[in-house]
Every structure is written in structure tokens, then in C-alpha cells.
Amino acid sequence: MNHPFDYDALRRETSWDLARQELDCPAGSPVNIGRICIDRHVDAGRGDKTALIHEDHAGQLREFSFRDIKELSGGWAAFLREQGVVELDRVCLFLERGPELYISFIGILKLGAVVQPLFSAFGEEALFQRIDDSQAKVVITQRKHVGKVRKMRERVPSLETVIVIDHLPGKRPLREGEVAYEMMSSRVGDFVPQETADESPSVLHYTSGTTGKPKGALHVHSSLFAQYLTTKMVLDLKDDDIYWCTADPGWVTGTSYGIIGPWAMGITQVVLDAGFSSKRWYATMARHKITVWYTAPTAIRMLMKDGAALAREHDLSALRHMCSVGEPLNAEGVLWGREAFGLDFHDTFWQTETGAMMITNLPGMTVKPGSMGRPFPAVRAGVIDPVSGEELTDPNTVGMIAIRPPWPSIMRTYWNNTPTFYSKFLRGWYVCGDQASIDEDGYFWFCGRDDDVINTGGHLVGPFEIESALLEHEAVAESAAIGKPDELNMEVVKAFVALKPGFVGDDDLELSIMNFIRKKLSPLAMPQEIEFVDKLPKTRSGKIMRRLLKAQESGEEIGDTSGLEDD
Ligand code: PRX
């Protein structure tokens, strides 16, 4: 019998402890994400179930059962131990989305080390900053990316070993401190996972802020309880689902919901290791009979561009549930989803720092197109005054999104940056740094970020990273990077540059600057456009007023300029 959706009842019945009970992890017992996600299922007689279906760019499939992953991740853990990795050491993953990425992730956690996943698209400088900060001991990479690691290696003395997963003997030799590892021939079925505890560090994810270097949000093994329960209740996964999370594990969505949550539930996941095309995505969904799909608004907008008819040309009849995360999901996206798939996209709001979904559209809940939904039933969320920290309880009042700690997956600190971690809390709230209002029905409506961080295609890019790269060019005196509104990616990076005397801002110089920073930044952070200006708007204290540039760019009201230098 179908019960009508009762949000209040769900709030009464839901607590994070439910996850502990269902995963049979009473308080005080060991919690190891690797064991719970993989070994547990094998020990319970479910080892033959498919855990991972991997499709590469050529359409080749590789399947791995939970038993395969238990043995192969055991192989990784044993090998890393041989390499001298011990509990709490950081092991960085700098890999494309091959099976090795997913399986070594589990192996590192079984060993009790901390896994630091990074996008393989990162340039040498982006890689350096994050490894220099984490002081990783090992980087696991592949031939295609080893060059970038070599370039920055001298600058990171902590880095002892670089593991190359696809080395071809006889081809370009490995250098000192590099070792080859062939995952498929290294099974260890009896590796005993470390008895990590609730608060043992697990995953270190870097995220961008307005100022300074990227910040490493440190998570712990018990974060799993939040990822498990939200996976179960929001993604609505059931034992026979075939689930597809389109996110790269370099991004928190790709680990919390592309590895941990679904595998904690023993679900079969599909990974597509290929570039985006609408046709390819639909073909993948049809081929694997995907039932539950978690994706991002930029991807949805790209699919929209190719029309709903294309979706309907494919047999997507298995699909029963769709969710979205990373940026505001426009109402149009939801309406288009109905037309293309006959289903609602369920938006979810959360962050690297929150580790799991905070504001959600639960299955069965009425979706209001354009709204992020309501707090996950175990989450207490509100909007607050940014200065007083007072909760704003009048409906439709804009404030800062804030969540009441604790919850299992809240970051435990920013690596090497405790002051910034503490600055995220106000009057007992964790403050997300985003603005929203809440309507009469308790639905949250996103208004915008409260800082200068650029959200391009769901990926956060700090202006500081781009400006620093620009400043290294001989012609650049000053620079400011902002997010310029963009139909597809929500924002793209635009840079404003003031030149040193003697340089002329022409096309040749723009090209020279672009080529120069391309080597340093990831493709995501690359400006689409550089505008040469005489000088940048600044506050009297010398801070660049990116807000002003941004307003100019989007033709908005410029707002309060009383702090401006030249008033
Ligand atoms: O600005 C919000 C936006 O993405 C930020 C978090 O980015 P990140 O830490 O990279 O994690 C993204 C994946 C969990 C937020 O502070 N954001 C995320 N989800 C939404 C969103 N903005 C609007 N609507 C969302 N559903």
C-alpha cells in the first residue's frame, strides 16, 4: 500500500543511529569504510554480486564482483603496506576513472591510510598545491599523468613513492622513487582491514575558497553512516538497482555517492570512463538498464540542448529515479526532465565539507521546480543572519544556509588550517556560505554564494588560484577572476588583467597569457576570456572588489560601492 508522503513523520523516525543499527556497527565498535563497503558483503555470502560495471571510452566492459574487489583492494592494501604506508599516511589518487581508481580507494581505507582523490585533469601547479599541503607520501597515477607528477616532485620532499598502474616494461623506464603495480595480478583475499574507529581520518577532499590555497576537508570513517542513510533514503537504492553516479571521484559526489554510499548498501554501480556526449550517455543508460541516476545541472543542460526527443529514442524504461547536485537546478531543468524521462529530477544540496546531502528532495515528496527541497530528515537546517547568527524564521527571508552540528559526515577540520575551519561556525551553526530563503512549506530556494568562489559546471574554482597563475606572467601587474554567467555551465571564468608598463593588451598577449596559465591550471579553472583594464576596482584596504566586476559583467545593479578606493 502506498502511504502519502509524511515529512514530519519521517523526521520523527529518522536518526543517524539507524545507519549504525542497519550496518551492525554499535557505538565503540570498529568502523572501516573499506570493510563495510566491500568485505562485509562477501563475508555475508553476497560475494558473487556485481559491484562495478566499468565501461571505457571504446565501449569495452569490465565487471567486478564484491569478491573481486575484496581481493583486489586487499592487494592494494598489502602492496601499500610493503611500500611503507602506515595508518594516517596520505595516499593521493591521480587517476582517470578506471577500475584502479575505485578499487585502490577501498584498499587505502582498509589499510587505515587517508585517501586524497584528485582530478587527473589538474595541471602541475594545482597538483603541487594540494600535495604540498597534504604532504602525501604516495601518489598513485598512470602513464598519461606521470609527467605532471615528475615536474612537481622535487618541490614536495614528503612524496616518497609514485605508483604507476599501467607501466609497460621495456617502454619509457621508471625513475627513482617510481614503482609499477599491476592490479589484476595482485589479489590478497585475507587482508584484515584496520580496526579504524568512528573518528579515524578517511578521505581528504580539496575544495576551493576565495582566498588562499585550496582547503583540504578531512573526513572520518564514521561519515559512512550519513552517506549510507542518505543514499538509502534520497537516492532510494534497492538491492536490484543498477545505479549510475556521473561524478568523478576527484569531486566529493564521486566518493560519497559514487563509491561509499552505494557500496555500503551492496549496490551494483556503473562507471562510464568516457567524455560527455548526449548520445553516449543515453546509450549507456539503455545498455546497462540504469534504474537510478545521480547527475549535475550542467550535464542536464547539455542534454537539454540536444532535445528531449533524443532521450526518447533510447529505451530508458528501466530508469525510475533521478537526482541532481552541485549547482542550482533551474526549474526548466526539472520540467525538461519530465518531458524527456517522465520523471522528476530530485535536487540535493550539500558540500565537500558536509560530506553528505543536507537539503534534499526525497522520493515521494512533491518537487517544486527550482527549489532544493527540504532538510534531510536527520538534519536540522535553517537560514541565519550572517552577522548575529540569529535564525531567520519568517518565510521567504534570505539568509545564510546553516546546519546544526553534529552529523556523522561533517568535516573534522581543514587540513593544516584549523582557524579557517573554526571560522565556518557561528552561534552553534555550521555556516555553508550560501544564501537561500525558505518558503511557507519549508522548501529551500537557493539565492547564491556568499563569496567570490566560481561555480563552473558544478566545480568550485577559487579566484585566487587563477589570479596567482596570471600574476606569474611577465606582463601581468594585477588580476581578478570572476564567474561570468553562462547558459550551460552556470558560470565560466573571466579574468581582468592590468598590465605592467610597456605591455600592450592585444590578441597576441592574450594568447601568450592563456598558454602560460594553461600549464598551471586545470581546464576547469581556465578563463574563457581575458579583458585588459587600466586598473582593478579595490577597497580602500586594497581588496579587489570582484563583486563589482561581476555585477558589471552580468548587467546587475552594482550595489554598495562605499568601500571603493576612488570614491
Ligand atoms: O554553492 C553551493 C553549490 O556547490 C557548493 C558546494 O560545492 P562542493 O563542495 O564542490 O560540493 C558539491 C557537491 C556536493 C555549495 O556551497 N551547490 C551544491 N549543490 C547545490 C548547490 N547550489 C545550488 N543548488 C544545489 N543543489
Side-chain angles (χ1 to χ4, degrees):
M1 203 178 75
N2 256 343
H3 295 285
F5 183 80
D6 185 344
Y7 180 78
D8 296 325
L10 268 181
R11 285 197 75 84
R12 285 192 299 275
E13 290 158 10
T14 309
S15 76
W16 299 118
D17 271 346
L18 262 179
R20 256 190 206 287
Q21 287 160 28
E22 291 182 12
L23 293 171
D24 196 16
C25 283
S29 63
V31 183
N32 184 294
I33 293 177
R35 182 187 70 75
I36 294 173
C37 286
I38 301 293
D39 298 17
R40 182 175 71 96
H41 303 300
V42 182
D43 299 344
R46 297 189 295 271
D48 291 334
K49 184 172 176 184
T50 302
L52 174 65
I53 302 173
H54 181 268
E55 180 177 329
D56 72 11
H57 59 95
Q60 293 274 353
L61 295 186
R62 286 168 76 188
E63 289 202 13
F64 297 83
S65 65
F66 280 94
R67 179 174 300 102
D68 290 328
I69 298 190
K70 178 183 178 194
E71 294 170 0
L72 296 169
S73 62
W76 271 111
F79 180 67
L80 288 167
R81 184 177 274 164
E82 269 171 37
Q83 297 301 313
V85 176
V86 295
E87 246 183 305
L88 303 184
D89 279 344
R90 274 77 61 212
V91 178
C92 170
L93 297 178
F94 192 52
L95 291 167
E96 308 214 337
R97 272 190 253 184
E100 286 86 354
L101 171 54
Y102 293 81
I103 298 173
S104 60
F105 182 94
I106 297 291
I108 295 165
L109 293 175
K110 287 205 320 201
L111 183 59
V114 177
V115 55
Q116 180 192 5
L118 294 180
F119 285 109
S120 60
F122 276 147
E124 166 203 335
E125 194 60 30
L127 181 68
F128 165 72
Q129 283 191 350
R130 289 160 178 84
I131 294 186
D132 183 46
D133 191 64
S134 72
Q135 295 283 293
K137 198 180 212 177
V138 173
V139 174
I140 303 176
T141 191
Q142 60 200 85
R143 281 202 314 273
K144 198 169 158 194
H145 302 293
V146 79
K148 290 187 274 188
V149 181
R150 284 178 181 166
K151 277 196 194 138
M152 50 130 266
R153 185 154 186 183
E154 278 185 0
R155 295 157 73 198
V156 202
S158 67
L159 183 51
E160 290 178 8
T161 311
V162 176
I163 299 175
V164 183
I165 59 161
D166 54 357
H167 178 64
L168 296 175
K171 289 270 166 142
R172 277 196 221 143
L174 293 178
R175 296 185 184 171
E176 202 190 322
E178 294 174 353
V179 286
Y181 184 70
E182 212 279 294
M183 179 178 83
M184 291 314 290
S185 53
S186 319
R187 290 175 185 258
V188 177
D190 57 1
F191 184 88
V192 181
Q194 281 286 332
E195 296 206 340
T196 39
D198 276 11
E199 293 301 311
S200 302
S202 57
V203 185
L204 181 61
H205 263 299
Y206 277 77
T207 181
S208 299
T210 306
T211 53
K213 288 188 207 155
K215 299 165 294 193
L218 182 68
H219 291 284
V220 295
H221 278 267
S222 57
S223 70
L224 168 101
F225 299 128
Q227 289 139 1
Y228 168 85
L229 205 63
T230 46
T231 299
K232 183 173 176 193
M233 293 177 62
V234 184
L235 296 175
D236 193 36
L237 291 181
K238 309 268 193 291
D239 199 34
D240 54 358
D241 272 316
I242 307 288
Y243 165 69
W244 185 28
C245 170
T246 61
D248 187 299
W251 193 37
V252 69
T253 307
T255 57
S256 289
Y257 298 103
I259 301 181
I260 303 174
W263 277 348
M265 292 188 68
I267 301 294
T268 304
Q269 304 202 59
V270 170
V271 167
L272 175 63
D273 186 11
F276 175 87
S277 95
S278 302
K279 267 197 179 151
R280 179 73 190 266
W281 273 34
Y282 294 136
T284 297
M285 289 165 82
R287 180 179 192 182
H288 302 291
K289 300 189 169 53
I290 301 290
T291 56
V292 179
W293 182 34
Y294 196 18
T295 193
T298 294
I300 297 169
R301 287 192 291 269
M302 294 203 280
L303 296 171
M304 279 168 79
K305 255 184 45 178
D306 290 329
L310 184 65
R312 291 197 302 259
E313 278 168 23
H314 295 80
D315 177 7
L316 306 181
S317 53
L319 190 65
R320 65 169 185 83
H321 191 49
M322 327 190 286
C323 295
S324 166
V325 62
E327 328 144 51
L329 176 63
N330 332 50
E332 294 87 335
V334 176
L335 301 178
W336 178 82
R338 287 177 184 166
E339 190 192 337
F341 309 104
L343 299 168
D344 278 336
F345 276 112
H346 292 70
D347 192 16
T348 61
F349 167 91
W350 56 291
Q351 301 180 308
T352 305
E353 288 87 343
T354 69
M357 301 167 183
M358 295 285 108
I359 318 270
T360 59
N361 282 281
L362 293 157
M365 181 169 138
T366 303
V367 170
K368 295 193 186 189
S371 158
M372 309 191 298
R374 304 184 69 179
F376 179 74
V379 166
R380 164 90 171 87
V383 295
I384 62 168
D385 180 285
V387 179
S388 68
E390 217 56 70
E391 188 169 9
L392 304 171
T393 47
D394 286 343
N396 308 314
T397 312
V398 176
M400 302 287 286
I401 304 177
I403 323 273
R404 276 267 175 218
W407 66 91
S409 62
I410 184 174
M411 65 167 164
R412 296 309 196 265
T413 190
Y414 286 125
W415 194 260
N416 287 332
N417 198 348
T418 319
T420 308
F421 169 73
Y422 283 118
S423 74
K424 300 285 288 192
F425 296 87
L426 181 63
R427 299 268 304 257
W429 293 96
Y430 165 75
V431 189
C432 294
D434 290 290
Q435 298 162 0
S437 62
I438 307 174
D439 70 14
E440 294 79 1
D441 300 323
Y443 282 66
F444 281 57
W445 296 80
F446 185 79
C447 297
R449 287 188 62 92
D450 196 51
D451 57 19
D452 291 327
V453 173
I454 302 158
N455 187 333
T456 175
H459 292 274
L460 303 189
V461 180
F464 184 78
E465 296 175 58
I466 304 160
E467 291 160 8
S468 307
L470 284 164
L471 282 179
E472 286 179 38
H473 189 278
E474 55 170 5
V476 178
E478 282 189 312
S479 67
I482 60 152
K484 177 180 168 166
D486 180 76
E487 232 172 63
L488 215 55
N489 291 298
M490 189 167 104
E491 291 183 336
V492 290
V493 179
K494 174 165 180 181
F496 293 83
V497 165
L499 295 172
K500 287 185 187 156
F503 288 94
V504 182
D506 56 15
D507 288 353
D508 285 348
L509 184 62
E510 179 172 354
L511 195 68
S512 146
I513 296 176
M514 287 282 200
N515 285 336
F516 178 79
I517 58 176
R518 184 163 291 125
K519 296 193 195 98
K520 301 184 173 286
L521 298 171
S522 65
L524 284 169
M526 273 301 288
Q528 305 267 311
E529 201 185 316
I530 292 181
E531 183 176 327
F532 295 110
V533 291
D534 291 339
K535 60 180 186 157
L536 296 169
K538 290 208 201 110
T539 61
R540 288 193 187 86
S541 59
K543 266 193 180 167
I544 298 170
M545 290 185 84
R546 299 187 191 83
R547 181 173 58 85
L548 212 111
L549 293 167
K550 201 170 167 177
Q552 273 170 9
E553 207 52 47
S554 42
E556 283 166 17
E557 289 278 308
I558 289 178
D560 176 26
T561 57
S562 53
L564 202 60
E565 187 180 45
D566 290 343
D567 279 356

